[in-house]
């Protein structure tokens, strides 16, 4: 395995993880409507990245396995949504929300750094296809970071001063 | 010319045709209460319409201390004497016997009458307790688009600098926040670019999700008059309903709900593909063209046809009209603002104008509309989730400037995060971190989405709810304190319409009982709370409407919405005047951006912009690198699928909306007999083919349901887009046995029982127009038709086939709806001289 395939593998894992994490956060915070809807949209972005990474890896002779498997088991999803509805009138889930947004931000940041590495390796190896992939996907990862950062900035004053 | 016209049967009255570039002839509409002789009118008092955003100037007729009628003001630039049905009849609601006349407080679970001191001291005591125990973030203010400028400004000062809370927003969040946000994203700052006068000069008028015939009927009269005159404009209409606009359009596109961005990207694609772009304008005044061109490169009409379910050829025809227009006017409203990807779509309409260079010239303009009469003031005074005077909360020098105007420490004004939007305030109240919510002039228990949730929030014991209104609305019934407010005609103040025209509205009669102007209520609260500036002087230094207006002028000085050239004296007797109005423009300003983009420079812009998909905020560094010279920004957006799409269980798309005869939650219009009779109850619209499939007919009682709730109404079969259901959102419960919610024998009647809690992440405007729903028969009709008007978008589809369906009787108003229309040659000739 060379550095490129290694980065592809790590990134594939990272995007798959972020897609799952975004979906889980969307469900856990069903009653935080903006978080729920936008996180669901952003999970789709990571899923697209996973598929494109798998296709590129394929061309590099690397099998990254089942890329479609980023959805969560149905029962768990329902549980998470019900749990969120049960505490709709409580302030404490606010702290959990801030923690979840922080984790999403860190997950996206990790992916962003790996996209950076992949783009650098692509340039060094003059691999245009790989560079195109990184150029196409990395901006979306940066937008995922910016969103989580904005939500933390907007929500934390109220959540942290009302406990 | 003098005629008497039933203005319920003919909402737009008679035609006064005029040709392109000619002045719009005056037509004075007058309605006097039955039996009132014009000679008996003692005074005519200047005002402007309070029931939509058009700003129709009118005089109120007063006799014996009562309002007895209204008359359009021929000399006013907005309406040239015309009035719409709501203007003509809804003033009667002021004298309703069920007006609130005394404050109410909740005692042992019931609202009981009390005096003002008792009610205000209860509010003050709770405010002080909360400030001491939980801090300013525990208090929120939810206001409206229906008070006056002076009142919003006072509220903004007392909330932001007195209490020091970030939680102040208006119901303008539901009506106009996307308009403001789209302007900010494209031009760096709020401010309506165009003018209503553009209707006189345009050769193509495009209306996006804007049923202007029903929301601003007087401007529709203007368009109808142009259509009847020489060199008429061609109309492009994007609307899934068969509106009057659609019926008159050269091209009508009726897309699937939630697909506006796909449609607009295809229109942009065609205009760029055919190179109908103004390269000089783009180079001189914009940034971002390459990215926009790349984004829409794949968005062919055929691609969009698959998403929007509109024929590709029709998209091509629309693009042809838009691309070849000599002077293009576009208007935008709730079909865009309350739909999926609201801001992203509204911005693409700005983009279309920017790449065609269609801005700042007569006939070439954009009108990002608003719905309510004074929504513009909620925006500019900072009562809507922005800082006053379009100042940028992320720019410390703007905040310091505001602090200077108010003589407070900048730290007093919360600016560590954007001002909290209404939907988030209700979430904070739900979660328990907001403990007091002061609601003025709005009725969230009918107008917000997912009403069972809103009622459960408002009904919490731990939430102290203050409601300031004219009537015991559904929301007021859930309050802890109810304050009786005076309204239009009973108080003096100014307000500004959707094309920046400022009008003065004078007091004509006394308010009923102990009802007080909203301004007096806010001033009383500020005095009792003893808010101070940093030198220990009173924070609020004004005491009446005119002194409040003078204070606002100081806050607006040097800002885009500069009022410094206006005075009450200048506005009294004359036409309304468009801001900015100052030393450089003493007669006001027709159009913004006549000479390039003026408020987008990083140092002056109102916002650094947001991601159009996520709402994530950009910062000054990013903004400065993208747009160092302060040009207009062409922001591209990819189409995203709607969050809720039809399923087997909920196979229809559902949208809510309006009718010409009602305003908001009907608190006024249902109390005007002519308007109420024209549309007395909720109905449901479905297409001919869907009705046939489900074997449903006109007048059948049906239920529309979603995962959130259900509403029942009589069915009206129309030429609406197949697969789509429509329910008007005006109806609630105050005029039912249940009072404020569905109960017992009262099924769901408010459309918002069914709507989803989801909002545009950029403008934070709720999505009332993108949901999935089921439709079922409750009970066969008894042969009578649905209570839906026949004059408007809810007109029945022409009877087809051999079914012996009885014809639907036309909507009429009868003798009590007769309005005098007369020509006014004086004003026509004097107007020509001044041109």
């Amino acid at each position: 395995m060379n550095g490129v395939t290694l980065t592809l593998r790590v990134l594939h894992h990272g995007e798959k993880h972020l897609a799952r994490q975004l979906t889980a956060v969307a469900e856990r915070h069903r009653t935080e409507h903006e978080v729920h809807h936008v996180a669901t949209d952003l999970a789709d972005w990571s899923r697209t990245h996973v598929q494109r990474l798998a296709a590129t890896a394929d061309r590099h002779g690397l099998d990254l396995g089942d890329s479609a498997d980023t959805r969560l088991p149905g029962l768990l999803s329902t549980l998470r949504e019900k749990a969120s509805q049960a505490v709709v009138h409580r302030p404490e889930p606010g702290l959990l929300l801030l923690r979840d947004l922080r984790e999403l931000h860190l997950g996206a940041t990790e992916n962003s750094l790996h996209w950076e590495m992949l783009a650098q390796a692509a340039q060094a190896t003059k691999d245009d296809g790989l560079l195109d992939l990184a150029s196409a996907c990395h901006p979306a990862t940066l937008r995922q970071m910016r969103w989580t950062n904005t939500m933390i900035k907007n929500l934390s004053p109220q959540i942290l001063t009302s406990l | 010319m003098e005629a008497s016209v039933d203005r319920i049967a003919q909402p737009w009255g008679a035609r006064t045709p005029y040709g392109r570039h000619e002045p719009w002839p005056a037509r004075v509409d007058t309605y006097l209460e039955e039996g009132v002789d014009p000679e008996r009118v003692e005074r005519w008092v200047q005002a402007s319409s309070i029931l939509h955003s058009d700003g129709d100037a009118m005089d109120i007729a007063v006799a014996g201390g009562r309002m007895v009628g209204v008359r359009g003001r021929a000399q006013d630039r907005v309406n040239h004497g015309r009035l719409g049905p709501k203007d003509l009849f809804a003033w009667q609601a002021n004298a309703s016997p069920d007006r609130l006349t005394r404050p109410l407080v909740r005692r042992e679970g019931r609202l009981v009458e009390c005096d003002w001191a008792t009610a205000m001291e209860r509010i003050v005591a709770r405010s002080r307790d909360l400030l001491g125990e939980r801090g300013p973030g525990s208090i929120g203010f939810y206001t409206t688009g229906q008070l006056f400028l002076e009142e919003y400004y006072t509220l903004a000062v007392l909330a932001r600098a007195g209490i020091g809370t970030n939680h102040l927003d208006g119901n303008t969040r539901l009506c106009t926040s996307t308009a403001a946000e789209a302007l900010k994203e494209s031009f760096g700052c709020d401010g309506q670019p165009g003018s209503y006068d553009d209707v006189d000069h345009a050769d193509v008028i495009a209306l996006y999700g804007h049923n202007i015939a029903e929301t601003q009927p007087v401007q529709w009269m203007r368009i109808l008059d142009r259509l009847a005159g020489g060199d008429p404009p061609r109309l492009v209409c994007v609307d899934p309903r068969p509106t009057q606009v659609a019926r008159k359009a050269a091209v009508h596109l009726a897309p699937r709900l939630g697909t506006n961005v796909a449609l607009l990207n295809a229109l942009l694609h065609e205009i760029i593909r055919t190179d109908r772009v103004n390269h000089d304008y783009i180079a001189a005044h914009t940034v971002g063209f390459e990215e926009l061109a790349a984004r829409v490169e794949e968005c062919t009409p055929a691609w969009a046809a698959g998403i929007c379910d509109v024929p590709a050829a029709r998209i091509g025809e629309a693009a042809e009209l838009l691309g070849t227009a000599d002077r293009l006017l576009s208007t935008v409203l709730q079909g865009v603002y309350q739909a999926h990807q609201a801001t992203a779509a509204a911005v693409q309409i700005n983009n279309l104008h920017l790449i065609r260079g269609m801005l700042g010239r007569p006939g070439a303009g954009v009108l990002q509309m608003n719905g309510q009469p004074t929504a513009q003031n909620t925006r500019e005074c900072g009562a809507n989730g922005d800082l006053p005077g379009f100042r940028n909360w992320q720019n410390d020098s703007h905040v310091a400037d505001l602090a200077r105007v108010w003589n407070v420490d900048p730290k007093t004004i919360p600016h560590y995060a954007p001002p909290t939007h209404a939907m988030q305030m209700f979430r904070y109240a739900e979660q328990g971190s907001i403990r007091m919510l002061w609601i003025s002039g709005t009725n969230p228990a009918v107008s917000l989405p997912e009403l069972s949730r809103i009622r459960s929030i408002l009904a919490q014991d731990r939430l102290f709810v203050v409601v300031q209104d004219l009537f015991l609305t559904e929301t007021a019934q859930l309050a802890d304190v109810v304050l009786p407010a005076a309204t239009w005609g009973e108080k003096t103040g100014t307000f500004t319409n959707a094309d920046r025209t400022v009008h003065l509205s004078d007091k004509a009669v006394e308010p009923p009982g102990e009802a007080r102007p909203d301004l007096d209520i806010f001033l009383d609260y500020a005095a009792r709370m003893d808010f101070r500036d940093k030198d220990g002087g009173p924070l609020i230094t004004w005491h009446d409407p005119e002194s409040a207006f003078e204070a606002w002028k100081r806050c607006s000085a040097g800002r885009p919405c500069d009022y410094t050239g206006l005075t009450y004296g200048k506005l009294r007797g004359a036409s309304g005047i468009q801001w900015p109005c100052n030393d450089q423009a003493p007669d006001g300003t027709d159009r913004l951006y006549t000479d390039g983009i003026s408020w987008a420079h990083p140092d002056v812009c109102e916002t650094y912009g947001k991601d159009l998909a996520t709402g994530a905020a950009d910062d000054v560094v990013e903004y400065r690198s993208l747009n160092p010279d302060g040009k207009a920004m062409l922001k591209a957006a990819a189409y995203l699928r709607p969050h809720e799409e039809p399923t087997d269980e909920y196979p229809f798309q559902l949208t809510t909306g309006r009718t010409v005869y009602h305003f908001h939650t009907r608190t006024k219009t249902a109390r005007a007999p002519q308007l109420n009779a024209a549309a007395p109850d909720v109905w449901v619209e479905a297409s001919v083919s869907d009705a046939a499939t489900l074997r449903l007919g006109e007048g059948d009682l049906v239920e529309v349901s979603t995962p959130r709730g259900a509403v029942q109404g009589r069915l009206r079969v129309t030429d609406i887009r197949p697969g789509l259901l429509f329910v008007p959102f005006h109806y609630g419960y105050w005029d039912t046995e249940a009072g404020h919610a569905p109960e017992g024998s009262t099924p769901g009647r408010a459309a918002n029982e069914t709507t989803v809690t989801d909002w545009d992440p950029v403008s934070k405007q709720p999505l009332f127009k993108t949901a999935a729903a089921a439709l079922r028969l409750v009970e066969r009709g008894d042969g009578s038709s649905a209570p839906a008007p026949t004059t408007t978008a809810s007109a029945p589809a022409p009877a087809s086939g051999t079914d012996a369906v009885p014809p639907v009787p036309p909507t009429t108003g009868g003798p009590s709806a007769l309005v005098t229309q007369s020509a006014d040659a004086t004003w026509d000739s004097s107007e020509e001289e001044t041109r």
Side-chain angles (χ1 to χ4, degrees):
Chain A
M1 181 174 291
N2 62 28
V4 167
T5 52
L6 181 72
T7 313
L8 283 169
R9 188 183 288 279
V10 172
L11 201 41
H12 184 260
H13 176 79
E15 289 285 10
K16 210 164 156 176
H17 180 66
L18 186 60
R20 280 211 200 96
Q21 235 183 334
L22 281 160
T23 310
V25 168
E27 285 163 357
R28 188 149 51 230
H29 302 284
R30 186 72 190 79
T31 52
E32 293 288 346
H33 298 88
E34 184 168 340
V35 170
H36 171 79
H37 290 292
V38 178
T40 305
D41 285 343
L42 296 191
D44 273 343
W45 295 6
S46 281
R47 267 185 218 110
T48 307
H49 291 180
V50 167
Q51 282 158 12
R52 296 187 64 165
L53 280 160
T56 303
D58 210 33
R59 287 198 295 278
H60 283 81
L62 177 70
D63 179 9
L64 289 176
D66 184 8
S67 299
D69 180 28
T70 54
R71 311 252 168 205
L72 298 156
L75 183 64
L76 203 58
S77 299
T78 312
L79 259 179
R80 259 197 280 266
E81 297 207 356
K82 291 284 173 215
S84 135
Q85 281 151 10
V87 291
V88 62
H89 290 302
R90 304 285 311 163
E92 293 81 2
L95 278 183
L96 180 64
L97 175 63
L98 289 180
R99 193 206 68 178
D100 280 345
L101 288 167
R102 182 195 67 194
E103 291 307 309
L104 289 176
H105 186 76
L106 293 174
T109 306
E110 235 177 69
N111 291 346
S112 168
L113 293 170
H114 287 130
W115 282 116
E116 190 76 54
M117 292 178 206
L118 192 70
Q120 290 300 91
Q123 292 187 73
T125 55
K126 301 187 178 57
D127 185 335
D128 288 347
L130 206 56
L131 188 60
D132 287 349
L133 175 74
S135 311
C137 297
H138 193 187
T141 306
L142 292 169
R143 292 166 74 188
Q144 290 171 324
M145 286 166 58
R146 242 180 247 137
W147 175 69
T148 44
N149 192 68
T150 295
M151 292 310 286
I152 287 170
K153 182 168 182 176
N154 292 358
L155 294 172
S156 52
Q158 184 76 4
I159 292 173
L160 296 177
T161 59
S162 64
L163 289 168
Chain B
M1 174 192 91
E2 178 149 322
S4 191
V5 177
D6 176 346
R7 290 292 301 281
I8 294 294
Q10 298 178 58
W12 306 282
R15 296 283 56 79
T16 47
Y18 72 117
R20 191 176 177 199
H21 304 308
E22 289 171 13
W24 186 25
R27 179 193 91 191
V28 177
D29 296 349
T30 308
Y31 176 73
L32 291 176
E33 197 175 273
E34 211 177 332
V36 172
D37 193 300
E39 310 291 306
R40 260 199 55 220
V41 174
E42 292 155 15
R43 288 184 298 138
W44 291 95
V45 179
Q46 179 176 352
S48 172
S49 175
I50 193 74
L51 293 152
H52 48 75
S53 66
D54 204 49
D56 301 337
M58 62 171 85
D59 292 320
I60 301 169
V62 180
R66 292 173 51 242
M67 290 187 191
V68 295
V70 289
R71 177 179 71 191
R73 289 174 63 81
Q75 66 270 48
D76 197 88
R77 61 169 303 275
V78 168
N79 55 322
H80 297 221
R82 288 161 191 77
L83 295 175
K86 289 192 285 276
D87 304 336
L88 290 163
F89 304 118
W91 56 270
Q92 300 168 99
N94 278 27
S96 292
D98 59 344
R99 279 286 297 276
L100 291 169
T101 55
R102 295 200 69 200
L104 308 170
V105 291
R106 192 166 292 278
R107 282 206 189 107
E108 288 157 19
R110 288 181 49 243
L111 284 171
V112 294
E113 288 192 355
C114 66
D115 58 24
W116 273 98
T118 305
M120 293 308 289
E121 279 308 321
R122 193 177 275 212
I123 300 170
V124 167
R126 180 56 72 99
S127 305
R128 289 193 195 284
D129 286 352
L130 284 170
L131 283 174
E133 288 164 21
R134 309 183 68 95
S138 61
I139 299 177
F141 296 86
Y142 182 49
T143 188
T144 180
Q146 301 167 39
L147 305 187
F148 290 173
L149 178 151
E150 294 77 1
E151 295 163 339
Y152 295 131
Y153 182 58
T154 304
L155 178 60
V157 180
L158 80 82
R160 298 201 190 284
I163 298 285
T165 178
N166 214 5
H167 310 322
L168 162 61
D169 197 8
N171 68 3
T172 46
R173 187 61 54 188
L174 322 180
C175 93
T176 187
S177 58
T178 301
E181 192 62 41
L183 294 169
K184 287 191 264 185
E185 293 298 328
S186 297
F187 303 105
C189 188
D190 195 356
Q192 184 72 278
S195 162
Y196 285 157
D197 294 349
D198 289 334
V199 172
D200 305 343
H201 303 284
D203 65 326
V204 175
I205 304 177
L207 301 103
Y208 297 93
H210 184 193
N211 183 2
I212 192 172
E214 301 193 52
T215 54
Q216 287 85 15
V218 166
Q219 285 326 301
W220 179 239
M221 297 173 202
R222 192 171 194 157
I223 293 175
L224 286 174
D225 286 345
R226 277 243 21 228
L227 290 171
D231 195 3
R234 287 161 301 169
L235 308 186
V236 176
C237 171
V238 178
D239 201 311
R241 292 175 75 213
T243 60
Q244 290 294 316
V245 181
R247 291 167 204 267
K248 299 278 184 189
V251 182
H252 173 209
L253 308 172
R256 194 178 272 147
L257 296 187
T259 64
N260 289 326
V261 167
L263 179 67
L264 283 155
N265 278 353
L267 294 171
L268 289 167
H269 168 97
E270 280 297 281
I271 286 167
I272 293 173
R273 183 185 66 80
T274 51
D275 197 30
R276 284 166 172 153
V277 300
N278 185 331
H279 294 282
D280 293 341
Y281 190 91
I282 289 171
H285 299 302
T286 72
V287 294
F289 180 68
E290 288 71 24
E291 199 194 325
L292 177 69
R295 169 66 69 194
V296 301
E297 194 177 355
E298 315 271 297
C299 302
T300 62
W303 166 83
I307 292 168
C308 309
D309 187 30
V310 168
R314 200 68 51 78
I315 299 174
E317 288 164 30
E320 179 76 19
L321 271 182
L322 301 170
T324 56
D326 164 50
R327 298 287 170 102
L328 173 66
L329 172 64
S330 292
T331 73
V332 194
L333 199 58
Q334 308 306 0
V336 173
Y337 300 160
Q338 294 181 340
H340 177 60
Q341 292 198 277
T343 308
V347 161
Q348 301 319 308
I349 296 160
N350 294 340
N351 288 347
L352 200 154
H353 277 261
L354 286 164
I355 66 173
R356 293 225 56 227
M358 288 289 171
L359 213 59
R361 291 174 292 141
V366 178
L367 293 169
Q368 297 281 359
M369 296 294 295
N370 42 40
Q372 295 179 84
T374 71
Q376 182 56 52
N377 307 106
T378 321
R379 271 151 72 173
E380 61 207 23
C381 293
N384 76 322
D386 277 304
L387 293 186
F390 301 155
R391 287 173 174 86
N392 186 343
W393 67 270
Q394 287 175 288
N395 185 329
D396 285 346
S397 71
H398 286 203
V399 177
D401 182 54
L402 186 61
R404 176 191 58 76
V405 174
W406 290 349
N407 195 34
V408 297
D409 188 302
K411 281 201 288 289
T412 308
I413 306 167
H415 60 284
Y416 35 77
T420 313
H421 62 89
M423 302 305 292
Q424 190 65 51
M425 277 169 46
F426 276 84
R427 174 60 189 143
Y428 288 153
E430 179 176 48
Q431 191 193 47
S433 63
I434 285 183
R435 294 293 175 99
M436 170 174 152
L437 194 56
W438 186 332
I439 299 168
S440 46
T442 186
N443 191 10
V446 179
S447 57
L448 283 181
E450 203 177 345
L451 290 181
S452 59
R453 171 175 176 262
I454 297 303
R455 286 188 292 263
S456 84
I457 293 171
L458 292 173
Q460 296 174 99
D461 282 341
R462 66 183 175 186
L463 181 69
F464 183 74
V465 178
V466 179
V467 171
Q468 179 172 323
D469 214 311
L470 315 185
F471 298 101
L472 196 65
T473 61
E474 290 83 347
T475 305
Q477 293 174 46
L478 294 165
D480 297 286
V481 177
V482 179
L483 304 175
T487 184
W488 170 93
E490 300 162 357
K491 61 181 186 179
T492 292
T494 53
F495 52 96
T496 306
N497 78 345
D499 85 338
R500 292 175 283 103
T501 306
V502 185
H503 285 113
L504 178 68
S505 188
D506 265 322
K507 177 175 172 176
V509 298
E510 290 299 325
E514 295 175 26
R516 296 169 65 187
D518 299 274
L519 178 64
D520 292 7
I521 298 172
F522 293 143
L523 289 174
D524 183 13
Y525 176 69
R528 289 173 193 270
M529 290 295 289
D530 197 27
F531 294 129
R532 297 277 153 178
D533 68 12
K534 70 179 179 191
D535 297 325
L539 174 68
I540 291 173
T541 53
W542 49 94
H543 57 276
D544 66 359
E546 192 159 4
S547 55
F549 185 76
E550 292 298 318
W552 160 247
K553 281 164 64 178
R554 293 191 287 279
C555 184
S556 77
R559 301 301 307 158
C561 48
D562 194 330
Y563 279 66
T564 50
L566 294 170
T567 60
Y568 273 24
K570 196 165 170 176
L571 292 168
R572 200 167 267 138
S575 168
I577 298 173
Q578 288 171 287
W579 64 245
C581 179
N582 50 22
D583 287 346
Q584 293 78 50
D587 299 322
T589 307
D590 298 344
R591 294 173 186 81
L592 305 184
Y593 312 133
T594 49
D595 188 23
I597 307 303
S598 33
W599 291 95
H601 189 276
D603 296 334
V604 301
C605 66
E606 186 182 3
T607 174
Y608 301 129
K610 292 179 185 172
D611 187 309
L612 292 186
T614 67
D618 288 339
D619 64 23
V620 64
V621 177
E622 288 157 322
Y623 188 89
R624 214 176 269 285
S625 74
L626 171 82
N627 193 19
D629 304 320
K631 296 180 176 185
M633 292 157 282
L634 295 165
K635 291 196 169 179
Y639 165 69
L640 297 173
R641 292 171 68 96
H643 295 145
E644 184 166 288
E645 295 191 288
T647 59
D648 288 346
E649 196 180 351
Y650 299 105
F652 289 93
Q653 284 199 308
L654 170 65
T655 186
T656 69
R658 286 146 192 79
T659 180
V660 70
Y661 302 107
H662 283 302
F663 181 58
H664 256 240
T665 59
R666 284 165 68 246
T667 46
K668 283 186 173 174
T669 50
R671 290 175 169 95
Q674 297 89 339
L675 299 171
N676 190 51
D681 208 340
V682 69
W683 70 90
V684 174
E685 290 172 24
S687 74
V688 176
S689 57
D690 291 323
T693 309
L694 295 172
R695 298 176 193 284
L696 298 172
E698 170 78 29
D700 283 348
L701 183 66
V702 294
E703 182 184 78
V704 175
S705 60
T706 70
R708 276 79 55 186
V711 52
Q712 289 190 9
R714 299 276 165 192
L715 184 72
R716 164 61 49 83
V717 181
T718 78
D719 286 328
I720 196 171
R721 189 193 144 73
L724 178 63
L725 305 175
F726 170 88
V727 182
F729 90 111
H730 305 292
Y731 302 88
Y733 305 95
W734 61 265
D735 51 345
T736 67
E737 277 176 30
H740 73 276
E743 195 181 84
S745 60
T746 307
R749 189 190 191 211
N752 281 319
E753 302 294 345
T754 65
T755 46
V756 63
T757 305
D758 185 8
W759 55 83
D760 178 53
V762 191
S763 68
K764 319 297 182 188
Q765 186 157 350
L767 308 187
F768 295 105
K769 294 183 181 286
T770 312
L775 177 68
R776 74 173 181 91
L777 176 72
V778 176
E779 185 184 283
R780 282 281 168 221
D782 56 6
S784 53
S785 55
T790 61
T791 45
T792 59
S794 56
S800 61
T802 54
D803 292 1
V805 185
V808 176
T811 300
T812 57
S816 71
L818 290 176
V819 170
T820 310
Q821 296 178 170
S822 48
D824 191 323
T826 345
W827 284 104
D828 288 345
S829 55
S830 71
E831 189 175 48
E832 271 185 282
E833 281 160 28
T834 60
R835 278 183 186 237

